[in-house]
Amino acid sequence: MTVTKEAFEEQMKLLKETGYRVITMDQLLEFLDFKGQIPKKSVVITIDDGWRPFYEIAFPILKRYGYPTTLFIYTDLITGSGKTLSWDLIQEMAREGLDIQGHTKSHRTLSAMDKKETFQAYFESIERELSESARIIKARTGKEIKYLAYPNGETNHLVIELVRKKGYAGAFTVKRGGIPLSSITTGSTDP
């Protein structure tokens, strides 16, 4: 979940030296929808949340290597404190090519109701988490949000359907595993 500056630099260098190609999230989704090809040994680089060390450490390294990257942010974290990114820094990085995408509004676990929450309140909360973060990011960056990183990698069937309903093109988890071919055909992709 975290890595030192030296280790991150070494990882990015290793990608280059071993012939990996860093592609964009859009290229990955076009490939999964059978609309495009990607080079052999392709990888996508994503980083979650919105902590300030991304700007200070990781972003300069990624720029030096010319690697496209997606930063999934949860909007409540973007306060500009000494530890978190500010909207000014996010806008600067977006102008320099960083892909900013959604990680919800508050980073709540989407797959579980709170103990005192009714189903109706849970449903409305999840809808707000998805809608508000996309609205805020678009208002601050001018870019449409197409992708979501599930907080803590957790999801369920209801959340997947709400993600679809809200118009996200894809959603991602930190859970390891393969993607069954039957789930990536056009029109039936599970976000």
Side-chain angles (χ1 to χ4, degrees), residues 44-182:
V44 174
I45 298 175
T46 67
I47 297 180
D48 290 358
D49 297 338
W51 298 104
R52 191 171 182 100
F54 174 76
Y55 176 79
E56 296 167 345
I57 297 169
F59 190 60
I61 293 169
L62 292 162
K63 279 188 353 183
R64 190 168 350 107
Y65 283 94
Y67 291 160
T69 303
T70 297
L71 176 63
F72 289 103
I73 60 171
Y74 69 96
T75 54
D76 284 357
L77 183 67
I78 310 306
T79 62
S81 73
K83 295 181 179 181
T84 66
L85 291 172
S86 67
W87 286 108
D88 287 342
L89 293 177
I90 288 173
Q91 291 164 353
E92 174 189 327
M93 291 185 292
R95 284 190 302 271
E96 294 185 38
L98 181 68
D99 181 31
I100 308 294
Q101 295 295 327
H103 196 33
T104 72
K105 184 176 182 305
S106 73
H107 204 272
R108 84 166 272 174
T109 299
L110 300 177
S111 63
M113 288 176 35
D114 291 336
K115 291 180 181 180
K116 296 180 182 179
E117 199 172 36
T118 65
F119 180 78
Q120 179 71 28
Y122 166 68
F123 184 88
E124 290 170 358
S125 174
I126 300 309
E127 280 195 314
R128 269 191 312 277
E129 289 286 335
L130 298 171
S131 298
E132 278 299 295
S133 64
R135 182 192 64 74
I136 292 167
I137 294 168
K138 182 178 181 186
R140 295 294 195 139
T141 67
K143 299 188 189 278
E144 293 287 336
I145 300 309
K146 299 188 282 186
Y147 307 115
L148 174 77
Y150 296 116
N152 307 307
E154 300 293 333
T155 191
N156 61 32
H157 293 297
L158 173 65
V159 172
I160 290 169
E161 287 307 314
L162 285 172
V163 166
R164 271 197 186 111
K165 178 183 170 192
K166 297 295 177 187
Y168 288 87
F172 302 87
T173 181
V174 294
K175 305 288 183 186
R176 293 181 185 262
I179 301 172
L181 185 59
S182 63

Side-chain angles (χ1 to χ4, degrees), residues 2-36:
T2 61
V3 64
T4 66
K5 176 181 180 180
E6 295 76 21
F8 186 72
E9 174 85 48
E10 186 61 31
Q11 291 170 358
M12 298 305 102
K13 181 180 175 188
L14 185 64
L15 289 176
K16 187 137 198 111
E17 291 175 349
T18 55
Y20 281 87
R21 300 284 302 273
V22 181
I23 62 172
T24 67
M25 190 67 67
D26 287 338
Q27 288 173 295
L28 172 64
L29 265 287
E30 287 173 9
F31 174 74
L32 292 175
D33 279 341
F34 303 103
K35 295 177 181 173

